[in-house]
Amino acid sequence: MAKNDGTSDKEGPVAKAIERQTSKLPSDLFLWSALGSMAVSLYLQAQGDRDRSLFVGQWAAPFLLLGLYNKIVKLEGSEGPATNE
């Protein structure tokens, strides 16, 4: 798939290698990681460790974004949807 400016959307070898490995991970691993970070954050907040609680609580969003990326790679592949050209 080419962009309008003539450049290619192809992934580099490092991105392909990373996507091959991460696509082996179950998608719900990222969901459980996000929920776990929220639970640890709540525990730290209850213990009065506000700074660490806020730090760990901020991990939830990146875990969910990584899970979304993982799901897209599994569904679309690293090169996007296959075309019959």
Side-chain angles (χ1 to χ4, degrees):
M1 176 179 212
K3 294 180 183 177
N4 291 338
D5 62 0
T7 60
S8 176
D9 281 339
K10 296 198 185 276
E11 296 286 348
V14 174
K16 283 183 186 178
I18 291 170
E19 289 173 357
R20 266 195 306 274
Q21 295 304 314
T22 58
S23 67
K24 296 175 184 176
L25 297 172
S27 295
D28 59 341
L29 172 73
F30 297 100
L31 176 62
W32 287 111
S33 297
L35 292 172
S37 72
M38 287 186 270
V40 170
S41 176
L42 180 63
Y43 171 78
L44 290 170
Q45 189 76 25
Q47 296 299 313
D49 195 349
R50 184 174 185 274
D51 290 339
R52 285 191 179 134
S53 169
L54 293 174
F55 177 70
V56 173
Q58 290 178 2
W59 296 353
F63 282 136
L64 293 173
L65 287 171
L66 287 169
L68 180 62
Y69 178 77
N70 182 284
K71 185 63 102 175
I72 289 171
V73 167
K74 284 182 179 180
L75 294 176
E76 303 293 332
S78 63
E79 296 296 327
T83 58
N84 294 328
E85 294 178 10

